[in-house]
Amino acid sequence: MLTSILEQLINGLRTGSIYALIALGYTMVYGIAKMINFAHGDIIMVGAYTLYIGIALLHLPVIPAMILTAVVCSVLGVLIEKIAYKPLRKAPPLAVLITAIGMSYFLQSMALLIFSSTPIPFKSVINLETVQIGSVHISGITIITLLVTTITMVALTLFINKTRAGSAMRAVSEDRGAAELMGINVNKTISMTFAIGSALAAVAGILYICQYQSLRPTLGALPGIKAFVAAVLGGIGSVPGAMLGGIVLGIIESLAKAYISTELADAIVFGVLVIVLLVRPAGLLGKKKLVKV
Amino acid sequence: MKKISNKQVWKNIGIILISYIAVTLLLNSGLLNRQYTSLLVPIAINVMLAVSLNLVTGFLGELSLGHAGFMSIGAYTGALISLNLGKTGILPEPVAFAAAVLCGGIVAAVFGFLIGVPVLRLRGDYLAITTLAFGEIIKSVINSMKITNGAKGLNKIPLYSNYKNYTVVFILMVITVLAISNLMRSRDGRAITAIRDNDIAAESIGIKISHYKVKAFAISAFFAGVAGVLYAHNVGILKPGTFDYNKSIEILVIVVLGGMGSIPGSVIAAVILTILPELLRGADNMRMLLYAIVLIAMMIFNNSRIKEGLMMNRTVKKLTGKGE
């Protein structure tokens, strides 16, 4: 019993850390551009397909294929911002949200046109033996996932807190107008945020596809929505909040699947979101904002 | 607010009668083939869904991504009533169908109220994502319940509202459109648009924000539920997967294309966007792409300088009749 709970917790930690990586992209973009980038989930999908093209069609070695994936996703993220979101900087939030939904739909239908809806099988590029600690089995992919996400999160935290570019990002997120007056290039900072967020989504996409091993045009939708839930859960706009939210959500999901019902797991995850939002409308670590007329 | 003149009322009655006669003539003259007659009911259903979503998204100004959830509640309630009461002969068919429509709407409205009370405390983006969450919760609960037959869904639902009974469908559609457009002309309607334009200002002049928000949400859910009942009795089969997030987005596309806060716009867009895929048959993937481009292009155009320029232009003002 204890072993099974431990294994479920570790499973939850694995999916949770993938959610956390995706949630970081949502939360960073929200912090800076004050918008929900609904297309973020579909960038995971683009990442997964790029990895597939790199390895199965172009026969690249694993590491260059992964770098290619990250680069393609970052460029795509920046392009999406320039084409679809930038003209709407001063538009009402509803218009921006609808545009983002449109963008997500656009990426999905492009993938549908190019690759068709039949799932493409994909062999994991991460091959590591299962490790046994006591009576608990931990698969190789879990270890790699936890390692990669930990390193990425530490690097990101250092980047945001210690570098000049990172403090520019924090400044724009705090007050865009004041940051601009201080000589920060707002457009460049926003582009950089989209690039970093999309690169994180690419990493998440690689880890996700190595776990599920099947490519579909809609593969990004569900992890995208769940990661968004994680970001909101942790308090959107807060970087540590996204990490916490992702991991909490992953563990809840994995425990619900194992001990309550597989069918109801999604409902439970969304139920948790609703309850948290009602008790703390700004999320677990979010700051409450007062609105003035 | 302008008082509606008698002239306008007659004009509306005229439009309704002409469109009804046109549909009847088209059906009876055999000008329409099977493919197009089967579109009549879906058009009406989409009109009802779009107009009711417009109440929440266009007039109240809150993005709801769970409209398909209310539709599914109505559809399942209605279908269960006709399967258990109408088909078994406990109630005569018209009574059973009337009961299905009413109960479908009411149950959806009750859920709209129950979901609306907590959700509408949130703002903007949070509200949108919570409605999405509720849509998904409704879908997975229906998927796991016994009475709804889980993922297999319900089938052999009596076809009370297929194209042969288009009169009923037409009347229900007209009732929906009239109810919502009259609501928007009433005191309540003005309160709802006031909340959209500036909620803090609205509150400060004594409008009870949450009261009107929940009201709009429940009314919108009611008509979505009725549309769901019509859908169930037109297709005859229900599966939980039909009412997913994509269905909600499809309705949203209609509202956005027609113009948020415009009821005639929603009606026209619903008609076009239901017929268009039929014309583009075989290019279903292209349809999704087209929807996406329409959404993005409309939003960018609406907020661009080009539109501002057009609105200031005298000839355009004359053409749209807004300059007077």
Side-chain angles (χ1 to χ4, degrees):
Chain A
M1 184 63 193
L2 190 68
T3 338
S4 112
I5 289 183
L6 263 178
E7 276 180 357
Q8 289 307 331
L9 278 178
I10 290 169
N11 272 341
L13 212 57
R14 181 190 59 201
T15 21
S17 52
I18 294 181
Y19 290 157
L21 274 184
I22 310 168
L24 279 172
Y26 277 114
T27 228
M28 283 166 63
V29 165
Y30 189 88
I32 292 201
K34 298 284 174 279
M35 63 162 291
I36 296 175
N37 183 11
F38 241 83
H40 194 64
D42 299 289
I43 291 182
I44 304 164
M45 177 269 296
V46 174
Y49 274 104
T50 317
L51 187 70
Y52 163 76
I53 292 175
I55 286 178
L57 304 180
L58 301 177
H59 304 291
L60 290 175
V62 175
I63 302 291
M66 286 182 179
I67 293 172
L68 174 77
T69 309
V71 170
V72 168
C73 286
S74 311
V75 171
L76 182 71
V78 174
L79 275 181
I80 288 177
E81 197 270 330
K82 290 263 183 259
I83 294 168
Y85 304 151
K86 203 177 165 196
L88 295 172
R89 289 254 173 94
K90 290 194 181 103
L94 194 62
V96 186
L97 191 56
I98 291 173
T99 314
I101 291 172
M103 209 61 216
S104 148
Y105 235 57
F106 178 80
L107 291 179
Q108 273 183 33
S109 35
M110 277 309 267
L112 198 66
L113 280 178
I114 299 172
F115 298 101
S116 91
S117 58
T118 21
I120 304 171
F122 180 79
K123 218 173 146 292
S124 170
V125 288
I126 301 168
N127 301 304
L128 208 72
E129 297 285 309
T130 302
V131 178
Q132 190 173 3
I133 304 169
S135 54
V136 181
H137 295 267
I138 306 172
S139 66
I141 180 117
T142 308
I143 296 171
I144 296 280
T145 306
L146 292 180
L147 214 64
V148 169
T149 45
T150 318
I151 293 171
T152 321
M153 285 182 198
V154 170
L156 185 72
T157 314
L158 286 178
F159 173 78
I160 291 176
N161 291 324
K162 302 284 177 199
T163 61
R164 270 182 77 85
S167 48
M169 276 168 68
R170 278 183 291 140
V172 174
S173 140
E174 199 71 41
D175 188 332
R176 192 188 289 170
E180 203 161 11
L181 291 177
M182 289 297 137
I184 292 171
N185 187 336
V186 171
N187 280 336
K188 217 167 116 189
T189 313
I190 291 181
S191 294
M192 188 177 67
T193 314
F194 271 86
I196 295 174
S198 307
L200 291 176
V203 175
I206 294 170
L207 295 170
Y208 188 82
I209 202 61
C210 287
Q211 195 174 324
Y212 291 95
Q213 312 197 344
S214 152
L215 292 154
R216 281 171 297 115
T218 50
L219 82 91
L222 202 59
I225 289 179
K226 292 226 179 105
F228 179 72
V229 169
V232 174
L233 195 66
I236 197 153
S238 144
V239 171
M243 300 178 189
L244 178 74
I247 287 164
V248 167
L249 198 78
I251 290 174
I252 293 175
E253 188 189 34
S254 148
L255 292 179
K257 263 191 187 148
Y259 300 109
I260 302 175
S261 145
T262 330
E263 281 157 357
L264 283 178
D266 285 353
I268 291 168
V269 165
F270 289 120
V272 168
L273 167 81
V274 173
I275 294 166
V276 169
L277 278 185
L278 293 178
V279 182
R280 285 188 62 92
L284 293 173
L285 300 184
K287 274 180 257 161
K288 205 174 155 89
K289 273 195 195 131
L290 287 176
V291 186
K292 286 181 200 152
V293 186
Chain B
M1 206 69 199
K2 261 190 301 184
K3 194 142 172 118
I4 325 152
S5 56
N6 271 335
K7 217 170 149 192
Q8 210 161 1
V9 173
W10 284 113
K11 199 175 136 198
N12 287 345
I13 293 176
I15 292 175
I16 294 166
L17 278 180
I18 288 171
S19 46
Y20 180 74
I21 292 167
V23 170
T24 319
L25 278 180
L26 279 174
L27 255 183
N28 293 338
S29 62
L31 273 176
L32 293 176
N33 56 8
R34 227 186 123 62
Q35 194 189 343
Y36 285 100
T37 45
S38 67
L39 276 180
L40 281 177
V41 180
I43 288 176
I45 292 171
N46 279 342
V47 167
M48 292 168 74
L49 287 170
V51 171
S52 57
L53 183 66
N54 208 343
L55 174 59
V56 170
T57 302
F59 291 108
L60 184 64
E62 298 290 7
L63 185 58
S64 165
L65 297 175
H67 213 55
F70 297 124
M71 184 187 172
S72 71
I73 292 177
Y76 271 94
T77 317
L80 286 172
I81 287 175
S82 343
L83 280 174
N84 293 322
L85 297 177
K87 221 182 170 192
T88 48
I90 295 173
L91 290 175
E93 275 188 14
V95 181
F97 183 59
V101 168
L102 264 182
C103 293
I106 290 170
V107 173
V110 168
F111 272 89
F113 174 77
L114 289 179
I115 294 172
V117 168
V119 165
L120 291 164
R121 283 178 50 201
L122 304 167
R123 278 158 191 279
D125 303 342
Y126 286 97
L127 189 142
I129 204 69
T130 322
T131 53
L132 191 156
F134 270 114
E136 293 295 308
I137 293 175
I138 292 171
K139 195 182 85 182
S140 28
V141 169
I142 288 179
N143 210 349
S144 64
M145 278 205 311
K146 268 231 174 82
I147 188 168
T148 56
N149 208 7
K152 273 183 253 154
L154 297 172
N155 48 31
K156 293 185 182 151
I157 302 161
L159 302 174
Y160 295 147
S161 64
N162 68 354
Y163 67 94
K164 285 173 195 146
N165 296 332
Y166 72 96
T167 314
V168 182
V169 179
F170 190 84
I171 292 171
L172 284 171
M173 180 189 83
V174 169
I175 291 176
T176 308
V177 174
L178 284 184
I180 291 183
S181 46
N182 282 345
L183 172 75
M184 291 328 293
R185 281 202 206 98
S186 69
R187 190 186 172 85
D188 287 13
R190 290 194 296 276
I192 289 171
T193 37
I195 293 171
R196 173 195 63 190
D197 292 339
N198 192 328
D199 57 342
I200 299 172
E203 197 169 21
S204 68
I205 56 164
I207 293 172
K208 286 182 194 148
I209 291 198
S210 28
H211 171 86
Y212 285 110
K213 276 188 173 177
V214 172
K215 205 175 199 175
F217 211 65
I219 292 172
S220 158
F222 176 86
F223 288 111
V226 173
V229 177
L230 294 184
Y231 174 85
H233 294 89
N234 178 43
V235 184
I237 314 163
L238 282 183
K239 280 202 163 76
T242 321
F243 306 102
D244 58 352
Y245 162 68
N246 286 336
K247 182 75 198 168
S248 301
I249 298 287
E250 220 173 280
I251 309 167
L252 182 70
V253 173
I254 298 177
V255 173
V256 171
L257 184 71
M260 285 195 285
S262 158
I263 289 173
S266 286
V267 175
I268 295 167
V271 175
I272 293 174
L273 283 188
T274 324
I275 297 177
L276 199 64
E278 211 58 33
L279 297 176
L280 298 173
R281 202 158 247 258
D284 204 44
N285 296 345
M286 287 307 262
R287 180 184 68 139
M288 299 259 293
L289 194 68
L290 201 69
Y291 277 9
I293 293 171
V294 163
L295 271 183
I296 301 171
M298 284 299 289
M299 283 301 129
I300 294 180
F301 172 73
N302 271 347
N303 293 287
S304 66
R305 289 233 178 86
I306 305 170
K307 193 191 173 186
E308 239 169 68
L310 277 177
M311 297 298 270
M312 302 304 268
N313 194 316
R314 271 199 193 157
T315 25
V316 178
K317 265 187 186 168
K318 262 187 200 161
L319 281 175
T320 52
K322 279 193 180 148
E324 297 151 36

